[in-house]
Amino acid sequence: MLRGVLRMDDERYLEEAFTLAERGHGGTHPNPLVGAVLVKDEEVVGRGWHLAPGRPHAEANALAEAGERARGATLYCTLEPCSHHGKTPPCADALVAAGIARAVIALGDPNPMVNGRGLRKLREGGVDVELAGATWAQRARRQNAPFLKFQRTGLPLVTYKAAVTLDGKVAAAGGDARWISCLDSRRAVHELRSRVDAVMVGAGTVRRDDPELTVRLADGRDPVRVVISHDGILPADAKVLTGARQVRTIVVVDQVSDAARRLLDARGAELIEAGEGGLRATLEALAGMGLLDILCEGGPTLAGELLAADLIDRVLLFVAPLIVGRGAPDLFAAPAVSAVDGAWRLKDVEWRPVCDDLLLSGTVVHRQG
């Protein structure tokens, strides 16, 4: 496996491969997002992306479009081609058989069934293999962060999103339910919902705000809705329940009464009993159902519990130019730390304006490794 110095055209075709990979968002689990471009004599002869499990992979789709023109072509791919028989044949074998001359790959596949074997098959088949370098590898890791987190830990990627005031409050002291953030910020949240597998809140948020948790201010599909509830007791007319037959809704409980069980069943909600495993067991169960990219829009209690359990991976905060003062609920109901050295920290922090708000994004530095 060699790391070459990419040419300008290489960068352009890799960029196209990443754009193609995005077309599979929301449908590829348990497989990753992958995009592929085949180029011969400075002309794109094949494009492909992965759409769903059991469907042809990105490389196979690009080969099908290219046909005989694949011979002598260069492959640009966002992830290492597979080398094993699953629901589809190995892409590495198909690429060698098609006679491609060169492959530029952004990232090796950490799946134990692949993990360098695909690159080795290509090299043994006479293909000149190049890894695109650290910048492209990091981009591939970001694009497939949920898949990579699941491969590494068995857990989904959890992003915590909230709108806060300048003094770190999520609402006014009087319980005013009007929006803190501006319209463009809310549109950005709906766009994010359309791209994740599930949106998660606590029972307190359902009772207090009665959210729909659907996509309305953007195009795209609705995510699965997940409600974390100690006892499963939710308002019978809550929007997440009345719409549970239209949008898949999961209620996770520690224990549940017969009456609550009957209500959830009548509304069409799915019930998961977490038992003693708590939030970690809940997230493992959700990942096992294919929900690898979870957006938590819960209130301070759920946010604090997830943070304390080291289960939040990323944070998105829409900071509004408001000050509401004492008595209003804080962003995280997390255990206090006695010194700054013990605080939860973010890395890779970015700030960008969204109408009158500022959007902060960052990755949580996990304190447990």
Side-chain angles (χ1 to χ4, degrees):
M1 293 178 288
L2 303 175
R3 293 184 184 275
V5 177
L6 298 188
R7 302 185 291 266
M8 186 177 301
D9 283 348
D10 290 337
E11 305 260 351
R12 174 160 61 95
Y13 296 131
L14 272 174
E15 185 72 45
E16 183 171 0
F18 274 93
T19 300
L20 290 170
E22 288 295 314
R23 298 188 183 185
H25 242 296
T28 63
H29 177 78
N31 301 330
L33 297 172
V34 183
V37 176
L38 282 167
V39 178
K40 185 174 183 179
D41 298 328
E42 300 183 359
E43 177 189 357
V44 174
V45 295
R47 295 178 175 89
W49 60 93
H50 186 45
L51 281 175
R55 302 279 294 277
H57 290 183
E59 303 94 317
N61 286 325
L63 286 173
E65 182 178 315
E68 286 300 318
R69 294 178 297 173
R71 187 162 301 279
T74 295
L75 168 74
Y76 297 89
C77 198
T78 58
L79 197 66
E80 176 183 357
C82 66
S83 56
H84 61 287
H85 283 272
K87 294 181 179 179
T88 60
C91 289
D93 290 351
L95 291 163
V96 170
I100 71 166
R102 179 172 174 248
V104 180
I105 310 297
L107 183 69
D109 189 339
N111 185 333
M113 292 186 291
V114 185
N115 197 20
R117 294 181 181 89
L119 299 178
R120 186 162 58 249
K121 276 194 172 186
L122 292 178
R123 294 179 66 203
E124 290 172 352
V127 179
D128 178 17
V129 177
E130 296 181 34
L131 293 178
T135 299
W136 290 100
Q138 182 59 29
R139 181 164 173 181
R141 291 188 190 100
R142 286 198 302 269
Q143 186 173 64
N144 273 305
F147 169 79
L148 296 173
K149 171 82 182 291
F150 177 69
Q151 288 290 326
R152 190 174 69 253
T153 67
L155 292 168
L157 186 85
V158 177
T159 300
Y160 177 65
K161 185 280 306 179
V164 296
T165 62
L166 286 176
D167 47 350
K169 309 297 184 180
V170 296
D176 187 346
R178 285 178 291 182
W179 298 104
I180 290 175
S181 55
C182 64
L183 179 58
D184 284 350
S185 292
R186 301 200 298 275
R187 286 191 178 119
V189 171
H190 282 242
E191 170 67 25
L192 183 58
R193 285 180 185 172
S194 75
R195 294 167 58 82
V196 300
D197 298 324
V199 173
M200 183 169 66
V201 298
T205 295
V206 172
R207 287 190 285 265
R208 182 181 61 252
D209 299 335
D210 193 20
E212 290 185 55
L213 304 179
T214 55
V215 176
R216 302 181 304 281
L217 299 180
D219 295 327
R221 57 176 180 78
D222 292 321
V224 175
R225 302 180 296 190
V226 178
V227 180
I228 308 297
S229 172
H230 172 67
D231 52 16
I233 298 176
L234 300 170
D237 59 351
K239 292 173 183 173
V240 292
L241 293 186
T242 58
R245 295 194 184 279
Q246 289 72 47
V247 179
R248 185 182 180 192
T249 302
I250 299 170
V251 180
V252 182
V253 300
D254 296 326
Q255 58 189 14
V256 62
S257 67
D258 290 341
R261 188 187 297 272
R262 285 194 298 271
L263 172 63
L264 296 175
D265 184 63
R267 290 290 188 265
E270 300 175 36
L271 185 65
I272 294 179
E273 298 187 47
E276 298 180 357
L279 285 172
R280 180 171 291 271
T282 294
L283 291 176
E284 288 175 348
L286 295 174
M289 300 165 69
L291 306 177
L292 301 188
D293 195 356
I294 296 180
L295 177 65
C296 178
E297 297 192 36
T301 300
L302 179 57
E305 291 176 355
L306 287 168
L307 188 66
D310 206 35
L311 293 172
I312 295 178
D313 298 292
R314 300 190 297 202
V315 172
L316 292 176
L317 295 184
F318 292 89
V319 183
L322 302 172
I323 299 172
V324 297
R326 294 179 180 176
D330 292 321
L331 176 61
F332 289 100
V337 296
S338 58
V340 172
D341 287 348
W344 288 272
R345 293 183 179 273
L346 301 183
K347 64 179 181 178
D348 303 325
V349 174
E350 296 180 358
W351 290 90
R352 69 177 179 89
V354 182
C355 46
D356 289 337
D357 301 337
L358 278 178
L359 172 58
L360 176 148
S361 61
T363 302
V364 177
V365 179
H366 287 167
R367 304 199 299 181
Q368 298 175 9

